[in-house]
Every structure is written in structure tokens, then in C-alpha cells.
Amino acid sequence: MTADIFSFPARPAGEPVCMRRVAAVGDIVVFCLNAVIGLWAAWPVAVVDDDGVVLGVTSRAGKMFGVDRMNCSPQVLAFRAADHDPEAFAALRWRTWMDQGDALIAFAEIARPANV
């Protein structure tokens, strides 16, 4: 067995590591629940890993489910709570759509302006 060693350039000393978090607890993810009928649903984020990747979502009854076990599509849409009107954002939890585009429109309609 052989292996090749690759040298990657190091980050310059003192330069901060900048990484945008994908999601946080309290945000909402929209994913496909049923590919046959194209059912997309919004679920509140319960758990994320250190990189902000969603691991679990919360049901209406308070149970946590692994998002990877429920999703029937490789695409997951994440929406940050801080970027949306709080009451309208909470009202979209567990809502369903027959098309992911309709979900995008619903969240776009309640988005806060970027400079607020």
C-alpha cells in the first residue's frame, strides 16, 4: 500500500477563520417529506453540529428526529430566525407546500431588510 503526501498552503498567522454558520437551534429547515407527491415541510431546528449543519428537527409534540432520516431529497433549505419577522417566522413551523418554490416565497415575504 502506498500513499502520497500533499502539502497544503497554511493560513497566514493571525488571519481569522471566517465561516458562515448554516443553521442554529431555532432556525427552520425546509426539506422533502414525500418525493412521490412532492411534499415539502418546514421544521424547527433542534440540533446542529459545530459547523452549523442540521442534525435534528423538532416535531409539534416536542420529539426530535434526525433530518437525514426524514429527508427524501439531497436539498435542504435553511432559514435563519434572525433574518425574518419573529411572529411570522414562528407561524411557518410545520407548514407544508407542494413545491419548494412556494416555501421560498413564503419565507421571502417575511424577510427583514438586510440593513435592519
Side-chain angles (χ1 to χ4, degrees):
M1 185 169 150
T2 63
D4 292 325
I5 298 174
F6 295 99
S7 297
F8 290 98
R11 178 176 45 88
E15 183 177 306
V17 176
C18 297
M19 186 175 88
R20 183 181 181 277
R21 290 188 60 84
V22 176
V25 174
D27 291 345
I28 292 178
V29 289
V30 175
F31 55 87
C32 181
L33 281 179
N34 186 320
V36 174
I37 63 172
L39 183 64
W40 290 77
W43 288 60
V45 174
V47 178
V48 296
D49 68 8
D50 289 341
D51 293 326
V53 176
V54 178
L55 300 176
V57 293
T58 306
S59 72
R60 286 183 191 262
K63 291 184 75 173
M64 187 180 72
F65 296 99
V67 72
D68 59 330
R69 293 178 50 208
M70 298 175 65
N71 189 12
C72 63
S73 167
Q75 188 172 23
V76 175
L77 309 173
F79 297 96
R80 302 298 308 260
D83 297 338
H84 298 84
D85 175 71
E87 289 180 23
F89 190 77
L92 291 178
R93 293 180 294 176
W94 304 294
R95 183 161 171 209
T96 59
W97 298 269
M98 297 307 287
D99 184 83
Q100 72 174 3
D102 293 336
L104 287 169
I105 291 168
F107 282 93
E109 289 175 343
I110 64 165
R112 289 183 176 172
N115 60 358
V116 173

